[in-house]
Amino acid sequence: MSHTSPPAPEPITKLHTGIPGFDTVAEGGLPRGRTTLIAGTAGSAKTVFATHFLASGIRDAGESGVFITFEDTPEDIRRNMLGFGWDIAGWEREGKWAFVDAALRADDQAVVVGDYDLGALLARVEHAVKRTGAARVSMDSVNALFARFADHGTLRAELYRISAALKELGATVVFTAERIDEYGEVSRYGVEEFVADNVLILRNLLQEEKRRRTVEILKFRGTSHQRGEFPFTVSPERGITVLPLSAMELTQSSSDTRVTSGLPELDRMVGGGYFRDSVILLSGATGTGKTLTVTHFVSGGYSAGERSLLFAFEESREQLARNARGWGVDFERMSEEGMLRVVPVYPHAMPIEDHLLRMRDAIDEFRPGRVIVDSLSALERVTSLRSFREFIINLTSFIKHREIVGMFTSTASKLTGGDSVTEKHISTLTDTILLLRYVECRGELRRGLLVLKMRGSPHEKNIREFTIDATGMHVGEPFRGIGGILGGTFARGADGGWDGDAEDPDAA
């Protein structure tokens, strides 16, 4: 008696959602032909996600979609989503998008039903899917159904029925449901997640008086995905964009090409100039010369025929131009020649994830050889520490992959130096660290410059004195006979003089 083996199951394939960044987290997209629950609290962008899923299918993959609405009217959805550039009405006329309107109207009689089923709704849905040839279906939001069903077990069975019918038609389905707490139960009624093959959780967290949106794939049945929460943002230009740090792979090439700092003596201190694909952290207290160092950096790029893009979070374009003009550098002429673009932005104007996306867009559009962020300290104040560090990781990786040299400024916490919070959390992410410090000598305030770190190159270890005049910065000789400059506490020798090679610091 022969026994035949059961046929091998077909592997689960992924459907690219077209939502930027999400397919990286999902390792290819949503499982094709399956049902995914999108659960989230109010304001977590559930409806936007469900709409973006259909819009990307139409726009990027040529796949029609059906939108089943249980709460908002089709007219509201058309109007609200037009702000993202999604012309739903136009797609309806072209037969690419169909609504199934199951929303309860204000003048409808709210009836709680017992032995009621969704057979009529299912027939309408099947008709819309077949008429449009839809590969994608979104349902928003199934919570409205719970007000109509006294028996949640019956509703669960009916949702299973709809899901199974859509699977038979080959559709990939997402449906939204509300949650009460960001880290509580998956769904409000505890039924929705058991109907779905996959579960996504969208969060709209309040951290340190600031909102932060994240997405987490809680369950992908039978296939892999990345674990944990990933930040995302919602913008009119692109809808939802997920920002996975996992996409920031350390695969960029390493360049040996040197570029000038704009100061010949500083170039010598760093072994011949910065590396083409390096990121420099410039740290100093207020007034130590950070803006001037940036100005020389821009000027050095201009002389070498390289464009510079300066993101200014503390000063206006006019202030920066005036300051540069005072040192003999003409920012206006550079801008007119297309060699410099200054982008002044108020740090509180938007979430840090939106800042990141706008900065990446500006870099891709302008294609600079140098990028300056002045300053990171301003951005640090408007977000949580976790979001700030994710921002730095993403931005540094982005510019390194494009072999752009970057300079980030940071304000030290004390007048005499010391680590800023910024330095503590991003120093390991940068290739070169320059410290600008005040040095007090016999009642006179002087300035010092130190190359604290430079990856892949020997560099000078001395703290050099520098001066500032109408022509800019001038790097001089190393300080001698002075200790404790970095900590702001200077050490004296046993004889009352200064420790080091000389008794009098003015001998330097």
Side-chain angles (χ1 to χ4, degrees):
M1 183 176 179
S2 61
H3 296 277
T4 58
S5 301
E10 294 184 5
I12 296 172
T13 59
K14 298 284 185 74
L15 174 71
H16 292 293
T17 64
I19 296 174
F22 177 77
D23 290 339
T24 299
V25 174
E27 296 186 353
L30 295 179
R32 187 184 297 272
R34 295 199 167 192
T35 303
T36 300
L37 167 66
I38 305 171
T41 55
S44 58
K46 300 184 297 297
T47 302
V48 178
F49 194 106
T51 309
H52 198 159
F53 173 64
L54 296 191
S56 292
I58 295 171
R59 186 183 54 196
D60 303 328
E63 297 173 339
S64 299
V66 171
F67 195 103
I68 309 165
T69 174
F70 296 105
E71 290 185 329
D72 297 324
T73 66
E75 181 54 37
D76 286 339
I77 295 171
R78 292 186 194 102
R79 186 186 312 112
N80 295 340
M81 298 304 161
L82 193 59
F84 296 104
W86 301 329
D87 184 9
I88 295 175
W91 291 332
E92 288 180 274
R93 289 191 296 269
E94 296 170 2
K96 299 176 180 178
W97 179 298
F99 277 109
V100 175
D101 185 1
L104 188 66
R105 301 290 178 262
D107 55 352
D108 289 344
Q109 185 179 5
V111 178
V112 177
V113 295
D115 297 331
Y116 176 74
D117 64 44
L118 297 178
L121 173 63
L122 177 56
R124 294 169 60 196
V125 172
E126 289 180 325
H127 175 71
V129 171
K130 291 176 181 177
R131 177 169 56 86
T132 59
R136 305 181 183 211
V137 175
S138 290
M139 294 189 286
D140 181 56
S141 149
V142 298
N143 288 93
L145 292 174
F146 285 89
R148 308 182 200 179
F149 280 81
D151 183 359
H152 291 174
T154 300
L155 177 56
R156 177 175 176 176
E158 290 300 301
L159 291 174
Y160 263 128
R161 182 181 171 192
I162 293 177
S163 175
L166 291 173
K167 283 183 181 180
E168 287 293 322
L169 293 174
T172 302
V173 183
V174 301
F175 69 94
T176 69
E178 292 181 0
R179 308 180 71 213
I180 299 174
D181 300 315
E182 299 293 1
Y183 291 99
E185 297 297 326
V186 171
S187 59
R188 179 185 291 271
Y189 296 101
V191 172
E192 302 91 318
E193 62 265 36
F194 296 106
V195 177
D197 301 297
N198 319 297
V199 178
L200 307 183
I201 295 180
L202 304 183
R203 294 188 174 94
N204 188 23
L205 305 167
L206 182 63
Q207 295 180 338
E208 301 175 15
E209 301 181 356
K210 303 172 185 71
R211 286 287 175 185
R212 166 186 166 88
R213 285 190 171 111
T214 65
V215 58
E216 178 186 6
I217 299 176
L218 186 66
K219 178 180 74 171
F220 261 15
R221 189 172 289 165
T223 186
S224 61
H225 62 87
Q226 295 187 9
R227 312 287 177 177
E229 293 183 69
F230 299 87
F232 75 91
T233 185
V234 180
S235 62
E237 298 87 356
R238 52 177 63 83
I240 287 178
T241 301
V242 181
L243 302 167
L245 294 182
S246 52
M248 303 295 106
E249 300 176 356
L250 299 177
T251 57
Q252 67 270 11
S253 59
S254 181
S255 174
D256 292 325
T257 304
R258 301 271 187 166
V259 299
T260 180
S261 66
L263 291 164
E265 194 60 34
L266 178 54
D267 287 345
R268 284 189 283 273
M269 291 180 69
V270 296
Y274 307 129
F275 287 120
R276 164 70 63 196
D277 57 353
S278 64
V279 174
I280 302 103
L281 176 63
L282 177 62
S283 171
T286 181
T288 48
K290 297 189 297 298
T291 301
L292 176 54
T293 306
V294 166
T295 301
H296 281 295
F297 183 62
V298 171
S299 179
Y302 176 76
S303 299
E306 298 173 347
R307 291 181 172 188
S308 294
L309 180 58
L310 198 166
F311 296 102
F313 293 99
E314 293 186 322
E315 294 184 277
S316 68
R317 184 183 291 106
E318 291 72 20
Q319 285 177 302
L320 290 167
R322 181 198 61 197
N323 295 340
R325 190 165 53 248
W327 295 310
V329 178
D330 193 344
F331 272 12
E332 288 99 335
R333 187 180 69 181
M334 293 181 188
S335 298
E336 291 171 0
E337 295 177 4
M339 298 299 292
L340 170 65
R341 179 176 295 178
V342 178
V343 182
V345 185
Y346 186 58
H348 293 78
M350 64 191 77
I352 196 166
E353 291 85 5
D354 291 319
H355 280 300
L356 174 62
L357 292 178
R358 290 173 184 267
M359 293 167 76
R360 295 195 326 192
D361 286 346
I363 291 169
D364 278 341
E365 190 272 325
F366 190 60
R367 299 186 179 278
R370 300 177 178 220
V371 170
I372 304 98
V373 180
D374 184 30
S375 75
L376 288 179
S377 303
L379 286 172
E380 179 187 24
R381 294 191 293 267
V382 303
T383 190
S384 66
L385 178 59
R386 177 178 176 180
S387 295
F388 177 70
R389 185 172 175 84
E390 288 174 349
F391 165 85
I392 297 298
I393 293 172
N394 202 305
L395 182 60
T396 54
S397 178
F398 185 81
I399 65 177
K400 279 175 171 289
H401 274 84
R402 283 153 179 76
E403 293 194 9
I404 298 171
V405 58
M407 178 173 284
F408 303 158
T409 71
S410 169
T411 302
S413 57
K414 300 177 182 178
L415 196 64
T416 53
D419 286 343
S420 67
V421 176
T422 304
E423 282 179 50
K424 290 178 181 177
H425 296 285
I426 72 165
S427 59
T428 57
L429 305 177
T430 54
D431 304 290
T432 301
I433 299 179
L434 303 181
L435 301 183
L436 303 180
R437 292 292 185 257
Y438 285 119
V439 182
E440 182 185 356
C441 297
R442 295 180 179 267
E444 179 185 3
L445 200 62
R446 292 151 71 172
R447 293 181 174 91
L449 167 64
L450 169 67
V451 181
L452 183 65
K453 177 183 86 169
M454 186 166 183
R455 285 190 182 130
S457 173
H459 60 86
E460 188 170 322
K461 306 299 192 297
N462 293 316
I463 303 175
R464 285 183 174 262
E465 182 174 10
F466 70 92
T467 58
I468 298 175
D469 60 21
T471 61
M473 177 185 290
H474 305 278
V475 180
E477 296 299 316
F479 283 101
R480 300 296 182 190
I482 301 178
I485 291 177
L486 296 182
T489 304
F490 308 120
R492 293 179 180 271
D495 59 355
W498 294 90
D499 284 344
D501 299 332
E503 292 186 356
D504 190 341
D506 289 329

